[in-house]
Amino acid sequence: MNKKHFCPVCGFDGLGEAAFSSSNEPSHEICPCCGFEFGFDGGNEPAVFEKFRQRWIKNGSKWFMPNLNPKNWDKKNK
Ligand SMILES: [Zn+2]
């Protein structure tokens, strides 16, 4: 039951549910790391994720919800 759900944008592995279900339904969860809202900021397309990631990195790869930042989290995009 403790399956990890990865953010397809930043690689954060603590999402509450899969960003997109097997039937491609977005979770509408907002990634606490990069701030991507699945389904709202874009659909399940690598190009969308890549574009968002580049913008996020350009802005300093800041945590969208800093209070949820686990202490041992290493950014995988550095
Ligand atoms: Zn993310």
Side-chain angles (χ1 to χ4, degrees):
M1 285 302 285
N2 286 324
K3 191 168 177 279
K4 284 186 173 177
H5 298 293
F6 289 86
C7 173
V9 177
C10 66
F12 176 63
D13 63 1
L15 296 179
E17 49 185 313
F20 294 92
S21 73
S22 51
S23 55
N24 223 16
E25 282 293 314
S27 69
H28 289 288
E29 184 175 356
I30 298 174
C31 175
C33 183
C34 66
F36 192 93
E37 183 177 344
F38 308 109
F40 179 79
D41 284 308
N44 193 2
E45 295 168 41
V48 170
F49 302 146
E50 184 60 28
K51 200 173 167 190
F52 194 93
R53 175 165 52 219
Q54 291 305 328
R55 197 175 66 196
W56 174 66
I57 290 170
K58 211 172 174 180
N59 289 334
S61 311
K62 290 193 195 76
W63 267 74
F64 187 68
M65 301 176 195
N67 55 325
L68 291 178
N69 188 351
K71 288 189 180 72
N72 60 356
W73 163 249
D74 288 315
K75 287 199 189 78
K76 291 178 176 118
N77 294 298
K78 275 193 174 168

Coordinates of all heavy atoms in Angstrom, one line a residue:
M1 N 0.8 -1.2 0.0 CA 0.0 0.0 0.0 C 0.8 1.3 0.0 O 0.4 2.3 -0.3 CB -0.9 0.0 1.2 CG -2.1 -0.9 1.1 SD -3.2 -0.6 -0.3 CE -4.0 0.9 0.2
N2 N 2.1 1.1 0.4 CA 2.9 2.3 0.5 C 3.7 2.6 -0.8 O 4.9 2.9 -0.8 CB 3.9 2.2 1.7 CG 3.2 2.4 3.0 OD1 2.2 3.2 3.0 ND2 3.6 1.7 4.0
K3 N 3.1 2.4 -1.9 CA 3.7 2.6 -3.2 C 4.0 4.1 -3.3 O 3.2 4.9 -2.9 CB 2.7 2.2 -4.3 CG 3.4 2.1 -5.6 CD 2.4 1.4 -6.6 CE 3.0 1.4 -8.0 NZ 2.8 2.7 -8.7
K4 N 5.2 4.4 -3.8 CA 5.6 5.8 -3.9 C 5.1 6.3 -5.2 O 5.2 5.6 -6.3 CB 7.1 5.9 -3.8 CG 7.7 5.8 -2.4 CD 9.1 6.1 -2.4 CE 9.6 6.1 -0.9 NZ 11.1 6.3 -0.9
H5 N 4.7 7.5 -5.2 CA 4.3 8.2 -6.4 C 5.2 9.3 -6.8 O 5.4 10.2 -6.0 CB 2.8 8.7 -6.2 CG 1.9 7.6 -6.0 ND1 1.6 6.6 -6.9 CD2 1.2 7.3 -4.8 CE1 0.7 5.8 -6.3 NE2 0.4 6.2 -5.1
F6 N 5.8 9.2 -7.9 CA 6.8 10.2 -8.4 C 6.1 11.3 -9.1 O 5.2 11.1 -9.9 CB 7.8 9.5 -9.2 CG 8.7 8.6 -8.5 CD1 8.4 7.3 -8.3 CD2 9.9 9.1 -8.0 CE1 9.2 6.5 -7.6 CE2 10.8 8.3 -7.3 CZ 10.4 6.9 -7.1
C7 N 6.6 12.5 -8.9 CA 6.2 13.6 -9.7 C 7.0 13.6 -11.0 O 8.2 13.5 -11.1 CB 6.6 15.0 -9.0 SG 6.3 16.4 -10.1
P8 N 6.3 13.5 -12.1 CA 6.9 13.4 -13.5 C 7.7 14.7 -13.8 O 8.5 14.7 -14.8 CB 5.8 13.2 -14.4 CG 4.6 13.7 -13.7 CD 4.8 13.6 -12.3
V9 N 7.5 15.8 -13.1 CA 8.1 17.0 -13.4 C 9.5 17.1 -12.7 O 10.5 17.3 -13.3 CB 7.3 18.2 -13.0 CG1 8.0 19.5 -13.3 CG2 6.0 18.2 -13.8
C10 N 9.5 17.0 -11.4 CA 10.7 17.2 -10.6 C 11.3 15.9 -10.0 O 12.4 15.9 -9.5 CB 10.4 18.2 -9.5 SG 9.3 17.6 -8.3
G11 N 10.5 14.8 -10.0 CA 11.1 13.6 -9.5 C 10.8 13.4 -8.0 O 11.2 12.4 -7.4
F12 N 10.1 14.3 -7.4 CA 9.7 14.1 -6.0 C 8.9 12.9 -5.8 O 8.0 12.6 -6.6 CB 8.9 15.4 -5.5 CG 8.4 15.3 -4.1 CD1 9.2 15.2 -3.1 CD2 7.0 15.3 -3.9 CE1 8.7 15.1 -1.8 CE2 6.5 15.2 -2.6 CZ 7.4 15.1 -1.5
D13 N 9.2 12.1 -4.8 CA 8.6 10.8 -4.6 C 7.6 10.7 -3.5 O 7.3 9.6 -3.0 CB 9.7 9.7 -4.5 CG 10.5 9.9 -3.2 OD1 10.2 10.8 -2.5 OD2 11.4 9.1 -3.0
G14 N 7.0 11.8 -3.1 CA 6.1 11.7 -2.0 C 4.7 12.1 -2.3 O 4.0 12.6 -1.4
L15 N 4.3 12.0 -3.5 CA 2.9 12.4 -3.9 C 1.9 11.5 -3.2 O 2.2 10.3 -3.0 CB 2.7 12.4 -5.4 CG 3.6 13.4 -6.2 CD1 3.3 13.2 -7.7 CD2 3.3 14.8 -5.8
G16 N 0.8 12.0 -2.8 CA -0.3 11.2 -2.2 C -0.9 10.2 -3.1 O -1.3 9.1 -2.7
E17 N -1.0 10.5 -4.4 CA -1.5 9.5 -5.3 C -0.8 9.7 -6.7 O 0.0 10.7 -6.8 CB -3.0 9.7 -5.5 CG -3.5 11.1 -5.7 CD -5.0 11.1 -5.8 OE1 -5.6 10.3 -6.5 OE2 -5.6 12.1 -5.1
A18 N -0.9 8.8 -7.6 CA -0.3 8.9 -8.8 C -0.7 10.1 -9.6 O -1.9 10.5 -9.5 CB -0.6 7.7 -9.7
A19 N 0.3 10.8 -10.2 CA 0.0 12.1 -10.9 C -1.1 11.8 -11.9 O -2.0 12.6 -12.1 CB 1.3 12.6 -11.5
F20 N -1.0 10.7 -12.6 CA -2.0 10.3 -13.6 C -2.3 8.8 -13.4 O -1.4 8.0 -13.3 CB -1.5 10.6 -15.0 CG -1.3 12.1 -15.3 CD1 -0.1 12.7 -15.1 CD2 -2.3 12.8 -15.8 CE1 0.1 14.0 -15.3 CE2 -2.2 14.2 -16.0 CZ -0.9 14.8 -15.8
S21 N -3.5 8.5 -13.4 CA -4.0 7.1 -13.2 C -3.7 6.3 -14.5 O -3.3 6.9 -15.5 CB -5.4 7.1 -12.9 OG -6.2 7.3 -14.0
S22 N -3.9 5.0 -14.4 CA -3.7 4.2 -15.5 C -4.6 4.5 -16.7 O -4.3 4.3 -17.8 CB -3.8 2.7 -15.1 OG -5.1 2.6 -14.4
S23 N -5.7 5.1 -16.3 CA -6.6 5.6 -17.4 C -6.3 7.0 -17.8 O -7.1 7.7 -18.4 CB -8.1 5.4 -17.0 OG -8.3 6.0 -15.8
N24 N -5.2 7.6 -17.3 CA -4.7 8.9 -17.7 C -5.5 10.0 -17.1 O -5.5 11.1 -17.6 CB -4.7 9.1 -19.2 CG -3.4 9.8 -19.6 OD1 -2.5 9.9 -18.9 ND2 -3.4 10.3 -20.9
E25 N -6.2 9.7 -16.0 CA -6.9 10.8 -15.3 C -6.0 11.5 -14.3 O -5.3 10.8 -13.5 CB -8.1 10.1 -14.4 CG -9.3 9.7 -15.2 CD -10.0 11.0 -15.8 OE1 -10.2 11.9 -15.1 OE2 -10.3 10.9 -17.0
P26 N -5.9 12.8 -14.4 CA -5.0 13.5 -13.5 C -5.5 13.5 -12.1 O -6.7 13.5 -11.8 CB -5.0 15.0 -14.1 CG -6.3 15.1 -14.9 CD -6.6 13.7 -15.3
S27 N -4.6 13.6 -11.1 CA -5.0 13.5 -9.7 C -5.4 14.9 -9.2 O -6.1 15.0 -8.2 CB -3.8 13.1 -8.9 OG -2.8 14.1 -8.9
H28 N -5.1 16.0 -9.9 CA -5.3 17.3 -9.5 C -4.6 17.7 -8.2 O -4.9 18.7 -7.5 CB -6.8 17.7 -9.4 CG -7.5 17.7 -10.8 ND1 -7.3 18.7 -11.7 CD2 -8.3 16.8 -11.4 CE1 -7.9 18.5 -12.8 NE2 -8.5 17.3 -12.7
E29 N -3.6 16.8 -7.9 CA -2.8 17.2 -6.7 C -1.7 18.2 -7.1 O -1.3 18.2 -8.3 CB -2.1 15.9 -6.2 CG -1.3 16.0 -5.0 CD -0.7 14.7 -4.5 OE1 -1.1 13.7 -5.1 OE2 0.0 14.7 -3.5
I30 N -1.4 19.0 -6.2 CA -0.3 20.0 -6.5 C 1.0 19.4 -5.9 O 1.0 19.1 -4.7 CB -0.6 21.4 -6.0 CG1 -1.8 21.9 -6.7 CG2 0.6 22.3 -6.2 CD1 -2.3 23.2 -6.1
C31 N 2.0 19.3 -6.7 CA 3.3 18.8 -6.2 C 3.9 19.8 -5.2 O 4.0 20.9 -5.6 CB 4.3 18.5 -7.4 SG 5.9 18.1 -6.8
P32 N 4.1 19.4 -4.0 CA 4.7 20.3 -3.0 C 6.1 20.8 -3.3 O 6.5 21.8 -2.7 CB 4.7 19.5 -1.7 CG 4.7 18.1 -2.1 CD 4.0 18.0 -3.4
C33 N 6.7 20.1 -4.2 CA 8.1 20.5 -4.6 C 8.1 21.5 -5.7 O 8.6 22.6 -5.5 CB 8.8 19.2 -5.0 SG 10.6 19.5 -5.4
C34 N 7.6 21.2 -6.9 CA 7.7 22.1 -8.0 C 6.4 22.9 -8.2 O 6.4 23.8 -9.0 CB 8.1 21.3 -9.3 SG 6.8 20.1 -9.8
G35 N 5.3 22.5 -7.6 CA 4.1 23.3 -7.8 C 3.3 22.9 -9.0 O 2.3 23.6 -9.3
F36 N 3.6 21.9 -9.6 CA 2.9 21.5 -10.8 C 1.5 20.9 -10.4 O 1.5 20.0 -9.5 CB 3.6 20.5 -11.6 CG 3.1 20.2 -13.0 CD1 3.5 20.9 -14.1 CD2 2.1 19.2 -13.2 CE1 3.0 20.6 -15.4 CE2 1.6 18.9 -14.5 CZ 2.0 19.7 -15.5
E37 N 0.4 21.3 -10.9 CA -0.9 20.7 -10.6 C -1.2 19.8 -11.8 O -1.4 20.3 -12.9 CB -1.9 21.8 -10.4 CG -3.3 21.1 -10.0 CD -4.3 22.2 -9.7 OE1 -4.0 23.3 -9.5 OE2 -5.5 21.8 -9.7
F38 N -1.3 18.5 -11.5 CA -1.6 17.6 -12.5 C -3.0 17.7 -13.1 O -3.9 17.6 -12.4 CB -1.3 16.1 -12.0 CG 0.0 16.0 -11.3 CD1 0.1 15.9 -10.0 CD2 1.2 16.1 -12.1 CE1 1.3 15.8 -9.3 CE2 2.4 16.1 -11.5 CZ 2.5 15.9 -10.1
G39 N -3.0 17.9 -14.4 CA -4.3 18.1 -15.1 C -4.6 19.6 -15.3 O -5.2 20.0 -16.2
F40 N -4.1 20.4 -14.4 CA -4.3 21.9 -14.5 C -3.2 22.6 -15.3 O -3.4 23.3 -16.2 CB -4.5 22.5 -13.1 CG -4.7 24.0 -13.2 CD1 -6.0 24.5 -13.5 CD2 -3.7 24.9 -12.9 CE1 -6.2 25.9 -13.6 CE2 -3.9 26.3 -13.0 CZ -5.2 26.7 -13.3
D41 N -2.0 22.3 -14.8 CA -0.8 22.9 -15.5 C -0.5 22.2 -16.8 O 0.3 22.7 -17.6 CB 0.4 22.9 -14.6 CG 0.3 24.0 -13.5 OD1 0.0 25.2 -13.9 OD2 0.4 23.7 -12.3
G42 N -1.0 21.0 -17.0 CA -0.8 20.3 -18.2 C -1.2 18.8 -18.1 O -1.4 18.3 -17.0
G43 N -1.3 18.2 -19.2 CA -1.7 16.8 -19.2 C -0.4 15.9 -19.1 O 0.7 16.4 -18.8
N44 N -0.7 14.6 -19.3 CA 0.4 13.6 -19.2 C 1.2 13.6 -20.4 O 1.2 12.6 -21.2 CB -0.3 12.3 -18.9 CG 0.7 11.3 -18.4 OD1 1.9 11.6 -18.2 ND2 0.3 10.1 -18.2
E45 N 2.1 14.6 -20.6 CA 2.9 14.7 -21.8 C 4.3 15.1 -21.4 O 4.5 16.1 -20.7 CB 2.4 15.7 -22.8 CG 1.0 15.4 -23.4 CD 0.5 16.6 -24.1 OE1 1.2 17.3 -24.8 OE2 -0.7 16.8 -24.0
P46 N 5.3 14.3 -21.8 CA 6.7 14.7 -21.4 C 7.1 16.1 -21.7 O 7.8 16.7 -21.0 CB 7.5 13.6 -22.2 CG 6.6 12.5 -22.4 CD 5.2 13.1 -22.5
A47 N 6.7 16.6 -22.9 CA 7.1 17.9 -23.3 C 6.5 19.0 -22.3 O 7.2 20.0 -22.0 CB 6.5 18.2 -24.7
V48 N 5.3 18.7 -21.8 CA 4.7 19.7 -20.8 C 5.6 19.7 -19.5 O 5.9 20.7 -19.0 CB 3.3 19.3 -20.5 CG1 2.7 20.0 -19.4 CG2 2.4 19.5 -21.8
F49 N 5.9 18.5 -19.1 CA 6.7 18.3 -17.8 C 8.1 19.0 -18.0 O 8.5 19.7 -17.1 CB 6.9 16.9 -17.5 CG 5.6 16.1 -17.3 CD1 5.5 14.8 -17.7 CD2 4.5 16.7 -16.8 CE1 4.3 14.1 -17.5 CE2 3.3 16.0 -16.6 CZ 3.2 14.7 -17.0
E50 N 8.7 18.8 -19.1 CA 10.0 19.3 -19.4 C 10.0 20.8 -19.4 O 10.9 21.4 -18.8 CB 10.5 18.7 -20.7 CG 12.0 19.1 -21.0 CD 12.9 18.6 -20.0 OE1 12.7 17.6 -19.3 OE2 14.0 19.3 -19.8
K51 N 9.0 21.4 -20.0 CA 8.9 22.8 -20.1 C 8.7 23.4 -18.7 O 9.3 24.4 -18.3 CB 7.7 23.2 -21.0 CG 7.8 24.6 -21.5 CD 6.6 24.8 -22.5 CE 6.5 26.2 -22.8 NZ 5.2 26.5 -23.6
F52 N 7.8 22.8 -17.9 CA 7.6 23.3 -16.6 C 8.8 23.1 -15.7 O 9.2 24.0 -14.9 CB 6.4 22.5 -16.0 CG 5.9 23.1 -14.7 CD1 4.8 24.0 -14.8 CD2 6.4 22.8 -13.5 CE1 4.3 24.5 -13.6 CE2 5.9 23.4 -12.3 CZ 4.8 24.3 -12.4
R53 N 9.5 22.0 -15.9 CA 10.7 21.7 -15.1 C 11.8 22.8 -15.4 O 12.5 23.3 -14.5 CB 11.3 20.3 -15.4 CG 12.6 20.1 -14.7 CD 12.9 18.6 -14.7 NE 12.9 18.0 -16.0 CZ 12.4 16.8 -16.2 NH1 11.9 16.0 -15.3 NH2 12.4 16.3 -17.4
Q54 N 12.0 23.1 -16.7 CA 13.0 24.1 -17.1 C 12.7 25.4 -16.4 O 13.6 26.1 -15.9 CB 13.0 24.2 -18.6 CG 13.6 23.0 -19.3 CD 15.0 22.6 -18.8 OE1 15.8 23.4 -18.4 NE2 15.2 21.3 -18.9
R55 N 11.4 25.8 -16.4 CA 11.0 27.1 -15.8 C 11.2 27.1 -14.3 O 11.7 28.0 -13.7 CB 9.5 27.3 -16.1 CG 9.1 28.8 -16.0 CD 7.7 29.0 -16.4 NE 6.8 28.3 -15.6 CZ 5.5 28.0 -15.9 NH1 5.0 28.4 -17.0 NH2 4.7 27.4 -15.0
W56 N 10.9 25.9 -13.7 CA 11.1 25.8 -12.3 C 12.6 25.9 -11.9 O 12.9 26.6 -10.9 CB 10.5 24.4 -11.9 CG 10.6 24.0 -10.4 CD1 10.1 24.7 -9.4 CD2 11.4 22.9 -9.9 NE1 10.5 24.0 -8.2 CE2 11.3 22.9 -8.5 CE3 12.1 21.9 -10.5 CZ2 11.9 22.0 -7.7 CZ3 12.7 21.0 -9.7 CH2 12.6 21.0 -8.4
I57 N 13.4 25.2 -12.6 CA 14.9 25.2 -12.3 C 15.4 26.6 -12.6 O 16.2 27.1 -11.8 CB 15.6 24.2 -13.2 CG1 15.3 22.8 -12.8 CG2 17.1 24.4 -13.2 CD1 15.7 21.7 -13.7
K58 N 14.9 27.3 -13.6 CA 15.4 28.6 -13.9 C 15.0 29.6 -12.7 O 15.7 30.5 -12.4 CB 14.6 29.1 -15.2 CG 15.4 30.1 -16.0 CD 14.7 30.3 -17.3 CE 15.4 31.4 -18.1 NZ 14.7 31.6 -19.4
N59 N 13.9 29.3 -12.1 CA 13.4 30.1 -11.0 C 14.1 29.7 -9.7 O 13.6 30.1 -8.6 CB 11.9 30.1 -10.9 CG 11.3 30.9 -12.0 OD1 11.8 31.8 -12.6 ND2 10.0 30.5 -12.4
G60 N 15.0 28.8 -9.7 CA 15.8 28.5 -8.5 C 15.4 27.2 -7.9 O 15.8 26.9 -6.7
S61 N 14.5 26.4 -8.5 CA 14.1 25.1 -8.0 C 13.5 25.2 -6.6 O 13.8 24.4 -5.8 CB 15.2 24.0 -8.0 OG 15.9 24.0 -9.3
K62 N 12.8 26.2 -6.4 CA 12.3 26.4 -5.0 C 11.2 25.5 -4.7 O 10.4 25.1 -5.5 CB 11.7 27.9 -4.9 CG 12.8 28.9 -5.0 CD 12.2 30.2 -4.5 CE 13.1 31.4 -4.9 NZ 13.0 31.7 -6.3
W63 N 11.1 25.2 -3.4 CA 9.9 24.3 -3.0 C 8.7 25.1 -3.0 O 8.6 26.2 -2.4 CB 10.2 23.8 -1.5 CG 10.8 22.5 -1.6 CD1 12.1 22.2 -2.0 CD2 10.2 21.2 -1.4 NE1 12.3 20.8 -2.0 CE2 11.2 20.2 -1.7 CE3 8.9 20.8 -1.1 CZ2 10.9 18.8 -1.6 CZ3 8.6 19.5 -1.0 CH2 9.6 18.5 -1.2
F64 N 7.7 24.5 -3.6 CA 6.4 25.2 -3.7 C 5.8 25.4 -2.3 O 5.2 26.4 -2.0 CB 5.5 24.4 -4.6 CG 4.2 25.1 -5.0 CD1 4.2 26.3 -5.7 CD2 3.0 24.6 -4.5 CE1 3.0 26.9 -6.1 CE2 1.8 25.3 -4.9 CZ 1.8 26.4 -5.6
M65 N 5.9 24.3 -1.5 CA 5.4 24.4 -0.1 C 6.5 24.0 0.8 O 6.8 22.9 1.2 CB 4.3 23.3 0.0 CG 3.1 23.5 -0.9 SD 1.9 22.2 -0.7 CE 0.9 22.5 -2.2
P66 N 7.3 25.1 1.1 CA 8.6 24.9 1.9 C 8.4 24.1 3.2 O 9.2 23.4 3.7 CB 9.0 26.3 2.2 CG 8.4 27.1 1.2 CD 7.1 26.5 0.9
N67 N 7.2 24.2 3.8 CA 7.0 23.5 5.1 C 6.8 22.0 4.9 O 6.9 21.3 5.9 CB 5.7 24.1 5.8 CG 4.5 24.0 4.9 OD1 4.6 24.2 3.7 ND2 3.3 23.7 5.5
L68 N 6.7 21.6 3.7 CA 6.6 20.1 3.4 C 7.9 19.5 2.9 O 8.0 18.4 2.6 CB 5.5 19.8 2.4 CG 4.1 20.1 2.8 CD1 3.1 19.8 1.7 CD2 3.7 19.3 4.0
N69 N 8.9 20.3 2.9 CA 10.2 19.9 2.4 C 10.9 18.9 3.4 O 11.3 19.3 4.5 CB 11.1 21.1 2.2 CG 12.4 20.7 1.5 OD1 12.7 19.5 1.3 ND2 13.2 21.7 1.1
P70 N 11.0 17.6 3.0 CA 11.7 16.7 3.9 C 13.2 17.1 4.0 O 13.8 17.4 3.0 CB 11.5 15.3 3.3 CG 10.8 15.6 2.0 CD 10.6 17.0 1.8
K71 N 13.7 16.9 5.2 CA 15.1 17.4 5.4 C 16.1 16.6 4.5 O 17.1 17.2 4.2 CB 15.5 17.3 6.9 CG 14.8 18.3 7.8 CD 15.4 18.2 9.2 CE 14.7 19.2 10.1 NZ 13.3 18.8 10.4
N72 N 15.8 15.4 4.3 CA 16.8 14.6 3.6 C 16.6 14.6 2.1 O 17.1 13.8 1.4 CB 16.8 13.2 4.1 CG 15.5 12.5 4.0 OD1 14.5 13.1 3.5 ND2 15.4 11.2 4.3
W73 N 15.7 15.4 1.6 CA 15.4 15.4 0.2 C 16.5 16.1 -0.6 O 16.9 17.2 -0.4 CB 14.1 16.2 0.0 CG 13.8 16.6 -1.4 CD1 13.8 17.8 -1.9 CD2 13.6 15.7 -2.6 NE1 13.5 17.8 -3.3 CE2 13.4 16.6 -3.7 CE3 13.4 14.3 -2.7 CZ2 13.1 16.0 -4.9 CZ3 13.2 13.8 -4.0 CH2 13.0 14.7 -5.1
D74 N 17.1 15.4 -1.5 CA 18.1 15.9 -2.4 C 17.4 16.1 -3.8 O 16.8 15.2 -4.3 CB 19.2 14.9 -2.6 CG 20.1 14.9 -1.4 OD1 20.4 15.9 -0.8 OD2 20.4 13.7 -1.0
K75 N 17.6 17.3 -4.3 CA 17.1 17.6 -5.6 C 17.7 16.7 -6.6 O 19.0 16.6 -6.7 CB 17.2 19.0 -6.0 CG 16.3 19.9 -5.2 CD 16.2 21.3 -5.9 CE 15.4 22.2 -5.0 NZ 16.3 22.8 -3.9
K76 N 17.0 16.1 -7.4 CA 17.5 15.2 -8.4 C 17.9 15.8 -9.7 O 18.4 15.2 -10.6 CB 16.5 14.0 -8.7 CG 16.4 13.1 -7.5 CD 15.4 12.0 -7.7 CE 15.3 11.1 -6.5 NZ 14.0 11.0 -5.9
N77 N 17.5 17.1 -9.8 CA 17.7 17.8 -11.1 C 19.0 18.7 -11.1 O 19.2 19.5 -12.0 CB 16.5 18.6 -11.4 CG 15.3 17.7 -11.7 OD1 15.4 16.9 -12.6 ND2 14.3 17.8 -10.8
K78 N 19.8 18.6 -10.0 CA 20.9 19.4 -10.0 C 22.1 18.9 -10.8 O 22.1 17.7 -11.0 CB 21.4 19.6 -8.5 CG 20.6 20.7 -7.8 CD 21.3 21.1 -6.5 CE 20.6 22.3 -5.9 NZ 21.0 22.5 -4.6
Ligands
ZN1 ZN 7.1 18.1 -8.7

